[in-house]
Amino acid sequence: MNNQQLRVLLAVNLRLVNPQLTERLRKKGMSGSALSKKLMRQFYLNALMFLGVYGLTMIAIDFSKLPGMFTFYVALFILLGISQSIAGIYNVFFAGNDLAEYLPLPFRNQEIFLSKILVVIFNTVPFTIPLPLIFVMTMTQAGYFVGLGIVLAILMYALILGLILCGCALIVFGLTKLKVFRTHQKMVMNIMLGLNALLVFVGILLMNRGSAADSGTRIDRTVLTPFLPVYKAFMTPLTIESVLTWVGLIVALLVVLTLTWRFVLLHLVEQLTQVNTVLTANRQRRHPRQHNLNKILRSYQWQLLKEPSLALQLFTNSILLPMILVGSVLFSGSRANWSQLSLNWVGVWFVAGMAGAIINVNQTSLVGNLISLDKMNFDFVSALPIPLARYLRQKFYLGYWFQVAINATIALVIGIAVHAPLVLDVALILGIAWGTYLAAQHYFKRDYQLRMTNWTNVTQLFNRGGGNFGLLLNLLVYSVIGMIVIVSYSVLIYSFAASAVWINVIVLLVLALASGALVWYNHRTFWRRLD
């Protein structure tokens, strides 16, 4: 294998995975190897950020005494790794559709595959990097030398990551052999990614429900039996059972590597060429016979949602992560019962709904990216004799109702789980609807101002503005402010129950004035200019 050619291919894929960041660095004068090193450094920073966040939550856990917690976290990060790997493999190998650029060049299948799979690894590692930390912590807590723990943790992590990537590659490339995939590529990948994300969500939900016996200082979770051998491999590394675990994992990796070489690498060009050729032909054959303008535009808007990576990202950011947070609280073993709450709390629930919606609607939501999903088509539509405001309003309300449906479903789950009165559930949903509207206005306008037409991966849209750091900072700030407001409001209602009606009226009047001013501002600075 030509290492120089591999480095060139890797550099190209690094630039393509985030063209916005690449362009920003080029404007600062970076090029060549300096640009490649900077792009690689970005992956390292993402991994360190993820490791830091989860490391702080796990630092106080004694995994040597809590096998259930060990198996829970291992299963969690493996599920996240599978989810990211399947999406990454599809995006890099198929969604990019860049094989035609390589065919005239002297690159071998192995080099093309390896350069792309390395980019997938860079994308997957931040979601799985806490695994070696768990392994090291477990072994050192069991009394073994930290150096031995680091070596075995790296080896175990490499084995697990290799199994995940090769297994996901076999799944995705296996789908390409199906006729239904070649004729309905996006539909099949949407179903595949949806089932995969659903598996992650259901798996995490089921794991969250379990709790085992008290270990003496902390309640452990139910041990997940399939991952127990990995736990014993670090607790008792010198036993026969642990040695068999290592041997079994190595043999399994060798098997999937052989299968990947046989069914993927040897036929890489043929598979990608066949899939992309069929996909292009299907695109050219489709001419929707719709004559009503509204129907044509509506059909076009829905077509934008068929991008598999978009569907996965929306599910992960808007549904999966909030439900994991909610599930961790609701199924922690101490469920709340608020069935006796009076109508005095209706305002608190309305404000809580607004706060939750504002936190959950962000730059990764559908409504905050719908305009940029048009790519170059936006300029084409703008040149048509169609009022731009009418076109964008149709986009806005599609994204708005989509997000309201998501947030309202989460609210219903919460309401049912805590046995809240029906009136409070209604107040929560109304607050969510209004909070979603305010947040959606802001991020829709932001999408118009920062719209991109040359993106190749939807994660580039999510990283506009402040990137991942800006997103996390916004979530942190909004969460803290929302928590302060809700707690303060609740204390007022609890302390002055006799005046609860007047407190609710005053709070709702203040919210109405502030919200009205915000809606008027958006109308004046955005919608009216379009009209």
Side-chain angles (χ1 to χ4, degrees), residues 102-332:
Y102 297 117
L103 291 179
L105 302 175
F107 294 123
R108 293 186 293 177
N109 289 0
Q110 297 91 328
E111 295 165 346
I112 297 174
F113 177 83
L114 186 57
S115 66
K116 289 182 176 292
I117 205 67
L118 283 175
V119 174
V120 177
I121 292 174
F122 297 151
N123 185 58
T124 306
V125 163
F127 293 87
T128 57
I129 195 64
L131 281 174
L133 176 62
I134 296 172
F135 299 151
V136 173
M137 290 175 60
T138 302
M139 200 160 187
T140 54
Q141 290 164 356
Y144 292 94
F145 178 55
V146 64
L148 178 62
I150 292 174
V151 172
L152 292 182
I154 293 175
L155 291 175
M156 181 64 74
Y157 179 64
L159 289 173
I160 293 176
L161 190 61
L163 287 170
I164 290 174
L165 291 170
C166 291
C168 292
L170 288 171
I171 292 173
V172 175
F173 278 88
L175 287 174
T176 65
K177 298 181 180 297
L178 302 177
K179 183 178 180 180
V180 65
F181 180 89
R182 295 171 182 171
T183 54
H184 304 286
Q185 182 184 7
K186 287 190 174 183
M187 181 188 72
V188 174
M189 281 310 302
N190 269 323
I191 295 174
M192 178 65 196
L193 294 175
L195 290 175
N196 174 59
L198 184 62
L199 173 65
V200 174
F201 171 68
V202 172
I204 294 173
L205 188 63
L206 291 176
M207 289 188 297
N208 268 323
R209 294 176 66 94
S211 61
D214 194 332
S215 63
T217 58
R218 187 186 183 107
I219 295 178
D220 196 9
R221 294 179 180 273
T222 301
V223 175
L224 303 176
T225 307
F227 302 101
L228 189 58
V230 178
Y231 176 74
K232 292 181 179 179
F234 289 97
M235 286 294 297
T236 55
L238 301 179
T239 62
I240 297 296
E241 184 178 2
S242 297
V243 173
L244 290 176
T245 298
W246 285 98
V247 172
L249 288 173
I250 294 172
V251 171
L253 180 59
L254 291 176
V255 170
V256 294
L257 281 173
T258 303
L259 293 175
T260 303
W261 177 274
R262 173 68 178 83
F263 296 105
V264 176
L265 269 176
L266 295 181
H267 307 285
L268 181 65
V269 173
E270 293 85 351
Q271 282 184 294
L272 294 179
T273 303
Q274 196 170 24
V275 169
N276 290 328
T277 301
V278 173
L279 180 61
T280 304
N282 288 340
R283 285 174 178 170
Q284 293 175 348
R285 283 199 304 266
R286 292 173 185 171
H287 300 287
R289 298 179 179 179
Q290 297 179 340
H291 304 286
N292 182 278
L293 180 60
N294 286 330
K295 288 184 178 180
I296 293 175
L297 292 178
R298 193 177 301 114
S299 175
Y300 167 70
Q301 308 286 15
W302 282 105
Q303 290 295 325
L304 297 176
L305 307 183
K306 293 185 177 181
E307 176 62 38
S309 57
L310 172 67
L312 177 65
Q313 292 290 346
L314 291 177
F315 183 89
T316 301
N317 296 314
S318 296
I319 302 176
L320 182 60
L321 294 180
M323 289 302 292
I324 290 174
L325 179 61
V326 171
S328 299
V329 176
L330 296 182
F331 301 109
S332 60

Side-chain angles (χ1 to χ4, degrees), residues 5 70 91 105 115 155 256 310 353 378 399 503 510 520 525:
Q5 289 185 337
F70 177 93
N91 290 334
L105 302 175
S115 66
L155 291 175
V256 294
L310 172 67
F378 182 80
I503 295 175
V510 172
W520 176 82
T525 59

Side-chain angles (χ1 to χ4, degrees), residues 330 335-336 349 409-421 425 428:
L330 296 182
R335 298 188 189 181
W349 281 65
T409 301
I410 297 175
L412 285 175
V413 171
I414 295 174
I416 294 172
V418 300
H419 307 286
D425 286 339
L428 183 67

